[in-house]
Amino acid sequence: MSVAVQLGIIVGYLLLALAVGLVAYRLTDRTAEDFYLASRTLGTVVLLFTTFATLLSAFTFFAGPNIAYAQGPEWILVMGLMDGIIFAILWYVIGYKQWLLGRQYGYVTLGEMLGDRFGSKRLRGLIAGISLLYLFPYVMLQQVGAGTALEALTEGAIPYAAGAGLITAFMILYVVVAGMRGIAWTDTLQGAFMLVTTWVATIWVLAAVGGPGAATEAIASSEATSGFLSLGSAYYTPQWMLSTAITIGFGVAMFPQVNQRFFAAGSKTVLKRSFALWPILCVLLFVPSFMLGAWAAGLEVTVPEGGNVLPIVLAEYTPVWFAALVIAGAMAAMMSSSDSMLLSGSSYFTRDLCRPTLAFFGRALSERGEDLIARIGVVVFASAAFLASLWNPATLFELGDAAFSGFAQLALPVLVALYWRRTTRTGITAGILASQAFYLLSLFLSIVPSSYAGWTAGVVGMGVGLLVTVAVSLITTPAAAERRAIYFERLGAD
């Protein structure tokens, strides 16, 4: 099959996703709340699948199988089981309370909510700035994943830069015209599509090699992979697995594109049904995709340095048209992540940074002006991430891990603020700054260890943030502007 046909399948699928978004655009109310949150009307299926598809990123489809290929399938326990349960719990503990507050006060972003809780525009801007900082590498991750996937599928006929540029162009176009309603509709389509194609791909590969027994026997009989089938390998220590599960689970809850979906649920019932079904979806997707990576190692599928195992194993054991279709779906899933990130990032930028800044100078931002700034911001942010992705500075796992752990530093101070009335503006600000400083220093300075008795700096930094938030709150007095502390506390018991 020619490269033109492969590219045609991929572009055709992306255009189909875009068409769904355009239909939704015709139903949009042209208000900020509808653009960012679909007017808080998402039902159970759409909320569940838009959150699911938002997280179906290059980290899921390429970094996860790559880890299973190199280190064994125990990665399923981290992403498929522990993270699914942790995030489902946080969906209720944090998400339900955010939904109640958003319904009462009309909040669109996490920064708006906490800035109002503590009467602080600086805190609002701090949360927005941190969130945009970590969104950048995660948008890059999608572009890197798309570029490497297309390059591998076409055996270099489509270069890395062209693949990364293709998904960048589509994500910009999609966000500018679709808004949350279009993204949510398309996410539902893409989430269901990727569940089906991942299982079909797994069955197809297993049929080609003689079934799951033969594939697993290949792992056991290979000297390089024989340790994959036993728990507690050198790669997966209990401390590392727990650290990774905690930082990813808590980090996901603070991702802007996920956190905003807590505000978008149509009802309490919708929110509760969605978090109950979440762990099931995680298992259904992560088990087959990660096992494909582990089986590929036992089958001695050769992956070049810097390459991704999933497109290579599909190209080897399935027809080219099907491999192209799966990669098209994976790229569409990456687009689902990226467009949601860009939409949420634009809301953080316009509402939490631009609005307060203009208000400081006595200027107001109109609905039309906010809309224009949001769309321009999407183009600039995505283009900058694309240019940075051309350097391909780190592996997909490194990019994803940096983002997950960075966002996780926000989680415990936010959780304390939601449930402990005694939390002060100074306390939560100090907690956020302390954990972020600790984590960033561990990334860039060798004198700050990245591991502590096997526990990662990301989870240790979370502990630092919790301790500082509580300690500083105990020795400081709430400001008069912190007017809704009592309401926040009472609402949690609703």
Side-chain angles (χ1 to χ4, degrees), residues 440-486:
L440 288 172
L441 288 174
S442 74
L443 289 180
F444 298 109
L445 293 182
S446 58
I447 60 172
V448 180
S450 59
S451 178
Y452 298 80
W455 298 90
T456 65
V459 78
V460 174
M462 290 175 64
V464 170
L466 174 63
L467 290 174
V468 171
T469 299
V470 172
V472 174
S473 292
L474 287 172
I475 62 174
T476 54
T477 303
E482 298 175 30
R483 58 191 178 281
R484 290 182 175 159
I486 295 176

Short mmCIF file of all heavy atoms in Angstrom, two decimals, residues 440-486:
data_model
loop_
_atom_site.label_atom_id
_atom_site.label_comp_id
_atom_site.label_asym_id
_atom_site.label_seq_id
_atom_site.Cartn_x
_atom_site.Cartn_y
_atom_site.Cartn_z
N LEU A 440 10.84 21.24 40.81
CA LEU A 440 11.60 21.79 39.68
C LEU A 440 13.10 21.70 39.92
O LEU A 440 13.88 21.42 39.01
CB LEU A 440 11.18 23.24 39.44
CG LEU A 440 9.79 23.42 38.81
CD1 LEU A 440 9.39 24.89 38.81
CD2 LEU A 440 9.74 22.86 37.40
N LEU A 441 13.53 21.92 41.18
CA LEU A 441 14.95 21.78 41.49
C LEU A 441 15.42 20.34 41.30
O LEU A 441 16.55 20.10 40.85
CB LEU A 441 15.21 22.24 42.93
CG LEU A 441 15.12 23.74 43.18
CD1 LEU A 441 15.26 24.05 44.67
CD2 LEU A 441 16.18 24.51 42.39
N SER A 442 14.56 19.39 41.62
CA SER A 442 14.94 17.98 41.43
C SER A 442 15.10 17.64 39.95
O SER A 442 15.83 16.70 39.60
CB SER A 442 13.90 17.06 42.07
OG SER A 442 12.71 17.00 41.31
N LEU A 443 14.40 18.38 39.07
CA LEU A 443 14.52 18.14 37.63
C LEU A 443 15.80 18.72 37.05
O LEU A 443 16.41 18.14 36.15
CB LEU A 443 13.31 18.74 36.89
CG LEU A 443 11.96 18.06 37.04
CD1 LEU A 443 10.91 18.82 36.24
CD2 LEU A 443 12.00 16.61 36.59
N PHE A 444 16.21 19.88 37.56
CA PHE A 444 17.26 20.63 36.88
C PHE A 444 18.58 20.73 37.66
O PHE A 444 19.59 21.12 37.09
CB PHE A 444 16.76 22.05 36.56
CG PHE A 444 15.59 22.07 35.63
CD1 PHE A 444 14.33 22.41 36.08
CD2 PHE A 444 15.74 21.71 34.29
CE1 PHE A 444 13.23 22.42 35.22
CE2 PHE A 444 14.66 21.71 33.42
CZ PHE A 444 13.41 22.06 33.88
N LEU A 445 18.58 20.40 38.94
CA LEU A 445 19.82 20.48 39.73
C LEU A 445 20.17 19.10 40.26
O LEU A 445 19.37 18.47 40.95
CB LEU A 445 19.65 21.46 40.89
CG LEU A 445 19.48 22.95 40.55
CD1 LEU A 445 19.39 23.77 41.82
CD2 LEU A 445 20.63 23.44 39.68
N SER A 446 21.38 18.66 39.98
CA SER A 446 21.80 17.33 40.41
C SER A 446 21.97 17.23 41.92
O SER A 446 21.94 16.14 42.49
CB SER A 446 23.12 16.95 39.72
OG SER A 446 24.12 17.90 40.01
N ILE A 447 22.14 18.37 42.58
CA ILE A 447 22.34 18.34 44.04
C ILE A 447 21.03 18.01 44.77
O ILE A 447 21.05 17.66 45.96
CB ILE A 447 22.91 19.68 44.56
CG1 ILE A 447 21.96 20.83 44.22
CG2 ILE A 447 24.29 19.93 44.00
CD1 ILE A 447 22.37 22.15 44.87
N VAL A 448 19.89 18.16 44.08
CA VAL A 448 18.60 17.77 44.67
C VAL A 448 18.25 16.39 44.14
O VAL A 448 17.99 16.22 42.94
CB VAL A 448 17.49 18.77 44.32
CG1 VAL A 448 16.17 18.34 44.94
CG2 VAL A 448 17.87 20.18 44.78
N PRO A 449 18.25 15.37 44.98
CA PRO A 449 18.02 14.00 44.50
C PRO A 449 16.67 13.84 43.82
O PRO A 449 15.69 14.52 44.17
CB PRO A 449 18.09 13.16 45.78
CG PRO A 449 18.83 14.00 46.76
CD PRO A 449 18.48 15.42 46.43
N SER A 450 16.60 12.95 42.85
CA SER A 450 15.33 12.65 42.18
C SER A 450 14.64 11.46 42.80
O SER A 450 13.53 11.12 42.41
CB SER A 450 15.58 12.38 40.69
OG SER A 450 16.46 11.27 40.53
N SER A 451 15.29 10.82 43.79
CA SER A 451 14.71 9.65 44.44
C SER A 451 15.12 9.63 45.91
O SER A 451 16.26 9.99 46.26
CB SER A 451 15.19 8.37 43.75
OG SER A 451 14.70 7.22 44.39
N TYR A 452 14.20 9.22 46.77
CA TYR A 452 14.44 9.17 48.21
C TYR A 452 14.01 7.80 48.72
O TYR A 452 12.81 7.53 48.87
CB TYR A 452 13.66 10.29 48.91
CG TYR A 452 14.07 11.66 48.48
CD1 TYR A 452 13.60 12.20 47.28
CD2 TYR A 452 14.96 12.42 49.24
CE1 TYR A 452 14.00 13.46 46.86
CE2 TYR A 452 15.36 13.68 48.83
CZ TYR A 452 14.88 14.19 47.64
OH TYR A 452 15.28 15.44 47.22
N ALA A 453 14.99 6.93 48.95
CA ALA A 453 14.74 5.55 49.37
C ALA A 453 13.76 4.86 48.42
O ALA A 453 12.91 4.07 48.83
CB ALA A 453 14.20 5.52 50.80
N GLY A 454 13.90 5.17 47.13
CA GLY A 454 13.07 4.56 46.11
C GLY A 454 11.82 5.36 45.75
O GLY A 454 11.19 5.09 44.73
N TRP A 455 11.45 6.34 46.58
CA TRP A 455 10.29 7.18 46.30
C TRP A 455 10.73 8.35 45.42
O TRP A 455 11.76 8.97 45.66
CB TRP A 455 9.67 7.70 47.60
CG TRP A 455 9.16 6.61 48.48
CD1 TRP A 455 9.87 5.94 49.45
CD2 TRP A 455 7.86 6.03 48.45
NE1 TRP A 455 9.08 4.99 50.03
CE2 TRP A 455 7.83 5.01 49.45
CE3 TRP A 455 6.71 6.25 47.71
CZ2 TRP A 455 6.71 4.24 49.69
CZ3 TRP A 455 5.58 5.49 47.96
CH2 TRP A 455 5.59 4.50 48.94
N THR A 456 9.94 8.67 44.41
CA THR A 456 10.33 9.72 43.47
C THR A 456 10.20 11.10 44.10
O THR A 456 9.44 11.31 45.07
CB THR A 456 9.47 9.67 42.20
OG1 THR A 456 8.11 9.99 42.55
CG2 THR A 456 9.53 8.30 41.55
N ALA A 457 10.92 12.06 43.51
CA ALA A 457 10.85 13.44 43.99
C ALA A 457 9.46 14.01 43.83
O ALA A 457 9.04 14.88 44.60
CB ALA A 457 11.87 14.30 43.24
N GLY A 458 8.71 13.51 42.83
CA GLY A 458 7.35 14.01 42.63
C GLY A 458 6.46 13.75 43.82
O GLY A 458 5.74 14.64 44.29
N VAL A 459 6.49 12.54 44.36
CA VAL A 459 5.62 12.22 45.50
C VAL A 459 6.16 12.84 46.79
O VAL A 459 5.38 13.26 47.66
CB VAL A 459 5.44 10.69 45.63
CG1 VAL A 459 6.65 10.02 46.27
CG2 VAL A 459 4.17 10.35 46.41
N VAL A 460 7.47 12.96 46.92
CA VAL A 460 8.05 13.64 48.08
C VAL A 460 7.66 15.12 48.06
O VAL A 460 7.31 15.71 49.09
CB VAL A 460 9.58 13.47 48.11
CG1 VAL A 460 10.20 14.30 49.24
CG2 VAL A 460 9.95 12.00 48.30
N GLY A 461 7.70 15.73 46.87
CA GLY A 461 7.30 17.12 46.75
C GLY A 461 5.84 17.34 47.15
O GLY A 461 5.50 18.37 47.74
N MET A 462 4.98 16.37 46.84
CA MET A 462 3.58 16.47 47.27
C MET A 462 3.49 16.53 48.79
O MET A 462 2.71 17.31 49.35
CB MET A 462 2.79 15.28 46.74
CG MET A 462 2.57 15.28 45.24
SD MET A 462 1.75 13.75 44.67
CE MET A 462 0.15 13.88 45.50
N GLY A 463 4.30 15.71 49.46
CA GLY A 463 4.33 15.73 50.92
C GLY A 463 4.81 17.06 51.46
O GLY A 463 4.28 17.58 52.45
N VAL A 464 5.82 17.64 50.80
CA VAL A 464 6.32 18.96 51.20
C VAL A 464 5.21 20.00 51.09
O VAL A 464 5.00 20.81 52.00
CB VAL A 464 7.53 19.36 50.32
CG1 VAL A 464 7.91 20.82 50.56
CG2 VAL A 464 8.72 18.45 50.60
N GLY A 465 4.48 19.97 49.98
CA GLY A 465 3.40 20.93 49.79
C GLY A 465 2.32 20.80 50.85
O GLY A 465 1.80 21.82 51.35
N LEU A 466 1.97 19.58 51.21
CA LEU A 466 0.95 19.35 52.24
C LEU A 466 1.41 19.89 53.59
O LEU A 466 0.67 20.62 54.28
CB LEU A 466 0.65 17.86 52.35
CG LEU A 466 -0.30 17.43 53.48
CD1 LEU A 466 -1.67 18.05 53.29
CD2 LEU A 466 -0.39 15.91 53.54
N LEU A 467 2.63 19.55 53.98
CA LEU A 467 3.14 19.99 55.28
C LEU A 467 3.24 21.51 55.37
O LEU A 467 2.86 22.11 56.38
CB LEU A 467 4.52 19.36 55.53
CG LEU A 467 4.52 17.85 55.79
CD1 LEU A 467 5.95 17.32 55.87
CD2 LEU A 467 3.76 17.51 57.07
N VAL A 468 3.74 22.13 54.31
CA VAL A 468 3.90 23.59 54.33
C VAL A 468 2.53 24.28 54.36
O VAL A 468 2.34 25.25 55.10
CB VAL A 468 4.73 24.07 53.12
CG1 VAL A 468 4.72 25.59 53.02
CG2 VAL A 468 6.16 23.55 53.22
N THR A 469 1.58 23.78 53.59
CA THR A 469 0.23 24.37 53.58
C THR A 469 -0.39 24.34 54.97
O THR A 469 -0.91 25.36 55.46
CB THR A 469 -0.69 23.62 52.60
OG1 THR A 469 -0.16 23.71 51.28
CG2 THR A 469 -2.09 24.21 52.61
N VAL A 470 -0.32 23.19 55.63
CA VAL A 470 -0.92 23.05 56.96
C VAL A 470 -0.17 23.88 57.99
O VAL A 470 -0.77 24.62 58.79
CB VAL A 470 -0.96 21.57 57.37
CG1 VAL A 470 -1.41 21.43 58.82
CG2 VAL A 470 -1.89 20.79 56.45
N ALA A 471 1.17 23.78 57.98
CA ALA A 471 1.98 24.48 58.99
C ALA A 471 1.82 26.00 58.90
O ALA A 471 1.61 26.68 59.91
CB ALA A 471 3.45 24.09 58.84
N VAL A 472 1.91 26.53 57.69
CA VAL A 472 1.80 27.99 57.53
C VAL A 472 0.38 28.46 57.84
O VAL A 472 0.19 29.53 58.42
CB VAL A 472 2.23 28.40 56.11
CG1 VAL A 472 1.99 29.90 55.88
CG2 VAL A 472 3.69 28.07 55.87
N SER A 473 -0.62 27.67 57.49
CA SER A 473 -2.00 28.05 57.80
C SER A 473 -2.24 28.12 59.31
O SER A 473 -2.99 28.97 59.80
CB SER A 473 -2.97 27.05 57.17
OG SER A 473 -2.96 27.12 55.77
N LEU A 474 -1.58 27.23 60.05
CA LEU A 474 -1.76 27.21 61.50
C LEU A 474 -1.16 28.43 62.19
O LEU A 474 -1.62 28.82 63.27
CB LEU A 474 -1.14 25.93 62.08
CG LEU A 474 -1.90 24.62 61.81
CD1 LEU A 474 -1.08 23.42 62.28
CD2 LEU A 474 -3.26 24.63 62.49
N ILE A 475 -0.15 29.04 61.57
CA ILE A 475 0.51 30.18 62.22
C ILE A 475 0.15 31.51 61.58
O ILE A 475 0.71 32.55 61.94
CB ILE A 475 2.05 30.00 62.20
CG1 ILE A 475 2.57 29.94 60.76
CG2 ILE A 475 2.47 28.77 62.98
CD1 ILE A 475 4.10 29.90 60.67
N THR A 476 -0.78 31.51 60.63
CA THR A 476 -1.22 32.76 60.00
C THR A 476 -2.72 32.94 60.19
O THR A 476 -3.44 31.98 60.48
CB THR A 476 -0.89 32.78 58.49
OG1 THR A 476 -1.44 31.62 57.86
CG2 THR A 476 0.61 32.82 58.27
N THR A 477 -3.17 34.16 60.02
CA THR A 477 -4.57 34.50 60.23
C THR A 477 -5.27 34.69 58.89
O THR A 477 -4.73 35.37 58.01
CB THR A 477 -4.69 35.80 61.04
OG1 THR A 477 -4.00 35.64 62.27
CG2 THR A 477 -6.16 36.14 61.30
N PRO A 478 -6.45 34.10 58.72
CA PRO A 478 -7.18 34.31 57.46
C PRO A 478 -7.47 35.78 57.21
O PRO A 478 -7.82 36.52 58.14
CB PRO A 478 -8.48 33.51 57.65
CG PRO A 478 -8.16 32.52 58.72
CD PRO A 478 -7.18 33.19 59.62
N ALA A 479 -7.32 36.22 55.98
CA ALA A 479 -7.62 37.60 55.62
C ALA A 479 -9.13 37.79 55.55
O ALA A 479 -9.89 36.85 55.34
CB ALA A 479 -6.97 37.94 54.27
N ALA A 480 -9.55 39.04 55.70
CA ALA A 480 -10.98 39.34 55.65
C ALA A 480 -11.60 38.97 54.32
O ALA A 480 -12.78 38.63 54.23
CB ALA A 480 -11.20 40.82 55.94
N ALA A 481 -10.78 39.01 53.25
CA ALA A 481 -11.30 38.73 51.92
C ALA A 481 -11.61 37.25 51.72
O ALA A 481 -12.25 36.88 50.74
CB ALA A 481 -10.28 39.18 50.86
N GLU A 482 -11.16 36.39 52.62
CA GLU A 482 -11.40 34.95 52.48
C GLU A 482 -12.81 34.64 52.96
O GLU A 482 -13.04 33.99 53.98
CB GLU A 482 -10.34 34.17 53.26
CG GLU A 482 -8.93 34.44 52.71
CD GLU A 482 -7.83 33.79 53.53
OE1 GLU A 482 -8.08 32.75 54.13
OE2 GLU A 482 -6.71 34.34 53.56
N ARG A 483 -13.78 35.11 52.21
CA ARG A 483 -15.15 35.21 52.68
C ARG A 483 -15.97 33.94 52.54
O ARG A 483 -17.06 33.84 53.09
CB ARG A 483 -15.85 36.34 51.94
CG ARG A 483 -15.84 36.17 50.42
CD ARG A 483 -16.30 37.45 49.74
NE ARG A 483 -16.26 37.34 48.29
CZ ARG A 483 -15.17 37.44 47.55
NH1 ARG A 483 -14.00 37.62 48.14
NH2 ARG A 483 -15.22 37.35 46.23
N ARG A 484 -15.50 32.99 51.75
CA ARG A 484 -16.35 31.84 51.48
C ARG A 484 -15.82 30.55 52.10
O ARG A 484 -16.21 29.48 51.71
CB ARG A 484 -16.52 31.66 49.97
CG ARG A 484 -17.38 32.79 49.38
CD ARG A 484 -17.62 32.63 47.92
NE ARG A 484 -18.54 33.67 47.46
CZ ARG A 484 -18.66 34.08 46.22
NH1 ARG A 484 -17.93 33.54 45.28
NH2 ARG A 484 -19.52 35.02 45.89
N ALA A 485 -14.94 30.67 53.07
CA ALA A 485 -14.36 29.47 53.68
C ALA A 485 -15.43 28.60 54.32
O ALA A 485 -15.43 27.38 54.18
CB ALA A 485 -13.31 29.87 54.72
N ILE A 486 -16.36 29.22 55.04
CA ILE A 486 -17.40 28.45 55.72
C ILE A 486 -18.29 27.76 54.70
O ILE A 486 -18.63 26.58 54.84
CB ILE A 486 -18.23 29.37 56.64
CG1 ILE A 486 -17.34 29.93 57.75
CG2 ILE A 486 -19.42 28.62 57.22
CD1 ILE A 486 -18.05 30.94 58.64
#
